[in-house]
Structure formats: structure tokens, C-alpha cells
Amino acid sequence: PSTIDAVLKSNKTVEVVHLCIDGVRHGTRLGIRLQQETERKAFLRILAELHFVEVERAKEKEEAPNSKRRKGKTLAMRLANNEHERALWYRRLNMQVKRNQEKALTMLDQIVEETKSRVAHDKEQQVLTELQSNFGNDIILIEPTRKFIFQDKLTKISDRTNKKEEYDFFLFSDLLIYAKQKGRSYNVHQVLHLSLARIVDVIVPRMIKGVKHQYLFKVSSPQKSFLMSCKDAAQKSRWINAIVEVIEEVMRRRQAYLQTQQDQMSEGDSKNSDLESSNNLQVMSSWIATSEMDLFGKGDSKVVQGCKLCIRPFSKLYRHKKQCNYCRDNVCGECRSKRASVGGKKKGSMVCDACYGFINGLVSGTYMTGGKTVSVPILSRESE
């Protein structure tokens, strides 16, 4: 236990902490199996401290900074008072060791996996915090289930004018952001929600302004569509595969959210077992504005602050809050610039980019719109 404790104090990387937690797991299991109480408790105290720290850090982020419960009491002081050993799971596991070893081992595995997940999640949130700062806090990037995947330099080519410009592209578990580096910071040019996007693999090379671009693919979205030019086949393959994987996952989450909403609306009323297609589209569009809090046993959700599409905060001076006439979500004026037929009105109503995409069948997936079923593939190929 002393060796693991020393390593944890000297190296805080996720990989090393996970290895140490696995070491604690094995040491605790041996202590339980061999009935070595001193060794078991020593290893278990390390796990209790790690779990306690991660839980309390999460609470501190959720609670107001002037929380009376923690005023004047640091985390180090609370650890010194052995608060981590008063955790309910810790006491129950120690009692279960004497009653049923198998149940105790199962409890141990559950706590170990939860602790590892919390450590990884905390690191992911730190990365988002750093990136948000690098973006000048111009966008609200920090979100409980969002993960940063990777960053790369690619050439963006306008779908309308063929204008070419190099940007830093940032891929997240739900977003694609491209920005221009300025010193140590970045100016965000566009935020794309990948739940609205689809990919077109351009097979045949194109001559654009006298230059041959061989490794191209297109990102098509009601928010914005453009070509991305890669330096080689490997970079192109990496980006297409990664984006498609993200779109598949967000579509799965969106469908699960839609099913939950359908179940809630039809509960106790067999006549409303299926939502109208228009309601389905509204729910799928509004899903973008929810933050799924399904981490560590939480099953609730909350509305994301700021514009649901460009994730920029609202401002009375620079970014006014507008309401989409279809999904009724709050967006900024730039993200509510299109018109679509809503409620049978001949004159189109102002709708957000997400609703415009669903109404006109531009978004990946299978859904009803305009009285017909559309099926839009995530990935298609353009050979000519």
C-alpha cells in the first residue's frame, strides 16, 4: 500500500491512477480471500480516499462557490478527519466481508470501476476547461458528457466559393469546431453539432483554383457545409472514420432520448402511444439543448445555457436570445436565419438550423417529415 500511495502522490496521469486503482483492487481482494484484515484495510483506505476526493470535487463543481457546508473546510482537512472512511459504501463493504465474501468482492469491483470512471471524467472535464479558456471563453464547452477526441490542421474549402483556408479542427464526442490560432489562443469560426451532420466521401480528385486536391471529403449540415482537404489518405481515413463513429453514437443517444419522451407522453394513454411526426422532429431538435446527466447513477437532464447550436452565451448587447418557431428552443439570431413551413402557414416561419434540417430531410437518420419517411445515410460517396 505504501508504494501505491507514493506513486499516486508523484504521478496524477489517468493511466497511472488507473493502474494504482487496479493494484488496490488486487491487494484488497487478496486481503479478503486470505482474511488478512490489516492489509485489506490498508488497501481499502486508499480506494476510499480516491473515491471520496473524486465525489467531493464533482460536488464542488455543482454547488455554489459560497456553499455554507464547505465554508472554511478544505478537502485536505476533511481527509485528515477521516471523512472518507465514513462513506456508506466503505462501511457496508467492511461489514459484508464478515458476512459474505462474494458479495463483498462484487461491491469492491463496482466501487473500483466507478472510481476509475470518475478519475477519467475529471480529467476530461479539465481538458474541456483548458480548451474553453483557449477559445477565450467565447463558447460554453464544458458539459458533463462531452469528451475531446483529437485536433488536427486541415484545409477548409467553401462549398459555394471554393475559398481555401487552413484551420485547426477540434473533434469532440458531439461537436466539430474549427478555429484560427492567434498566439496561444484560438478564434472560433464555427461550431457544428454532429447530430445534424452527414459525410460525403469525395472519391474523384478535384482541381480547385489550379490546385489538385486528391484527399477530400464533405461535411454536410444545415448549419454549414464545406469540403475538408487532407494531406494524405491516412489523415482522410482517420477523420472520416472518427466523425462517422461520433455521428453513430449521437444518433443512438438521440433515439434513446426520443423513446424516453414517447414513453412519458404515452404513459397511461394508449391512444397516444406514438408521437406525431412533427412532435418527433421537435423532440429530436430539442435533444441538442439538453445535457444528459447519466453519469454515476444520475438519470436527469438539464437545459444547456446559451445558444443550443453555436454554444455561445447570450448577451443583451451582442447575442440576443431568439426563439425557434418550431421547437421553441432559445437560439441566437445567427442560428435562426432560415425559414420553413410551420403549422401549414404559406409564409415560412423563422426556425433554428436544427429544425430546418429535420423539416427538409437533411439530417442523418430515418424519420417522418412532410408526411413521408426519409432515410438519410451518415456516409455516402461522391464519385463524379
Side-chain angles (χ1 to χ4, degrees):
S2 59
T3 302
I4 292 176
D5 201 31
V7 171
L8 286 170
K9 289 177 180 177
S10 62
N11 194 321
K12 298 290 185 180
T13 62
V14 173
E15 295 78 12
V16 170
V17 175
H18 278 190
L19 286 172
C20 289
I21 293 173
D22 283 332
V24 168
R25 185 210 312 249
H26 295 310
T28 307
R29 289 180 70 91
L30 282 172
I32 292 173
R33 289 293 193 191
L34 301 177
Q35 298 182 356
Q36 295 177 344
E37 187 174 355
T38 302
E39 287 75 8
R40 170 178 61 79
K41 287 185 175 181
F43 280 111
L44 202 54
R45 285 192 194 100
I46 297 174
L47 180 60
E49 182 174 330
L50 285 168
H51 186 270
F52 180 80
V53 168
E54 294 301 326
V55 169
E56 294 307 308
R57 280 178 179 169
K59 287 180 181 178
E60 287 173 2
K61 291 176 182 178
E62 293 175 4
E63 294 176 355
N66 59 348
S67 173
K68 292 181 179 179
R69 188 171 72 86
R70 286 183 170 74
K71 192 172 181 179
K73 217 175 186 183
T74 66
L75 190 57
M77 290 169 60
R78 299 173 67 204
L79 287 170
N81 290 332
N82 295 322
E83 284 193 33
H84 54 292
E85 294 184 29
R86 293 196 286 274
L88 183 60
W89 72 264
Y90 182 83
R91 291 185 282 116
R92 283 181 174 174
L93 197 152
N94 277 318
M95 287 189 294
Q96 199 64 253
V97 168
K98 301 173 183 178
R99 298 174 182 174
N100 189 316
Q101 281 193 4
E102 295 305 321
K103 287 186 178 181
L105 292 171
T106 300
M107 288 178 62
L108 172 66
D109 288 338
Q110 290 172 347
I111 293 297
V112 163
E113 293 306 318
E114 182 190 329
T115 306
K116 290 170 71 174
S117 296
R118 286 183 178 276
V119 169
H121 178 257
D122 188 52
K123 179 61 177 178
E124 288 158 1
Q125 293 296 294
Q126 289 177 23
V127 171
L128 293 180
T129 301
E130 183 178 341
L131 284 171
Q132 180 168 297
S133 177
N134 291 342
F135 290 142
N137 290 307
D138 186 42
I139 56 176
I140 305 171
L141 194 59
I142 301 169
E143 196 274 331
T145 58
R146 181 169 294 138
K147 298 178 183 179
F148 172 65
I149 300 176
F150 64 81
Q151 169 191 357
D152 209 349
K153 286 186 181 294
L154 294 99
T155 300
K156 172 189 168 289
I157 303 175
S158 171
D159 197 34
R160 294 182 292 106
T161 66
N162 282 341
K163 179 183 176 182
K164 296 185 286 186
E165 196 161 359
E166 188 179 69
Y167 288 98
D168 281 273
F169 281 80
F170 299 81
L171 181 64
F172 297 84
S173 56
D174 60 337
L175 304 173
L176 178 64
I177 297 175
Y178 60 87
K180 202 75 173 177
Q181 189 169 6
K182 188 177 181 181
R184 295 183 178 180
S185 61
Y186 294 88
N187 290 331
V188 176
H189 281 251
Q190 184 72 46
V191 176
L192 293 179
H193 277 269
L194 291 175
S195 63
L196 304 174
R198 54 194 177 90
I199 302 300
V200 180
D201 185 1
V202 180
I203 305 298
V204 178
R206 290 188 187 181
M207 290 294 296
I208 301 175
K209 293 188 174 182
V211 178
K212 184 179 181 181
H213 291 269
Q214 187 171 354
Y215 306 106
L216 290 168
F217 67 94
K218 181 179 178 181
V219 178
S220 182
S221 166
Q223 290 183 270
K224 195 175 186 70
S225 297
F226 51 86
L227 290 167
M228 292 175 68
S229 179
C230 304
K231 62 184 179 182
D232 53 37
Q235 186 183 47
K236 175 182 175 179
S237 177
R238 182 192 187 202
W239 270 96
I240 289 179
N241 291 338
I243 294 176
V244 168
E245 186 176 335
V246 169
I247 296 175
E248 289 174 341
E249 175 59 21
V250 293
M251 283 178 61
R252 183 196 65 76
R253 288 162 50 198
R254 185 179 70 199
Q255 189 59 36
Y257 178 80
L258 175 62
Q259 186 61 54
T260 299
Q261 297 301 306
Q262 288 178 333
D263 292 343
Q264 290 177 355
M265 293 186 69
S266 63
E267 188 175 349
D269 188 354
S270 59
K271 294 181 180 180
N272 293 327
S273 58
D274 293 317
L275 292 173
E276 294 294 329
S277 60
S278 60
N279 285 345
N280 273 344
L281 299 185
Q282 291 165 351
V283 170
M284 288 193 291
S285 178
S286 291
W287 172 77
I288 298 170
T290 63
S291 171
E292 300 164 289
M293 300 289 286
D294 56 357
L295 298 169
F296 318 123
K298 294 185 177 181
D300 57 331
S301 62
K302 65 177 181 180
V303 177
V304 174
Q305 301 300 310
C307 176
K308 76 173 184 179
L309 291 171
C310 67
I311 61 173
R312 287 180 166 90
F314 292 119
S315 167
K316 291 183 179 180
L317 293 176
Y318 307 108
R319 186 165 286 104
H320 298 282
K321 187 184 295 185
K322 305 287 185 179
Q323 189 180 67
C324 172
N325 288 308
Y326 194 66
C327 67
R328 304 298 178 185
D329 288 335
N330 292 322
V331 293
C332 68
E334 293 181 10
C335 296
R336 196 202 69 160
S337 60
K338 300 180 178 70
R339 291 184 177 273
S341 178
V342 177
K345 295 180 181 179
K346 292 183 179 180
K347 185 179 179 180
S349 299
M350 299 296 291
V351 298
C352 70
D353 291 343
C355 288
Y356 180 86
F358 281 114
I359 291 171
N360 290 282
L362 304 176
V363 180
S364 298
T366 301
Y367 46 90
M368 287 282 293
T369 181
K372 61 181 180 180
T373 301
V374 297
S375 185
V376 182
I378 296 173
L379 176 64
S380 58
R381 286 174 173 79
E382 180 183 286
S383 57
E384 297 181 0

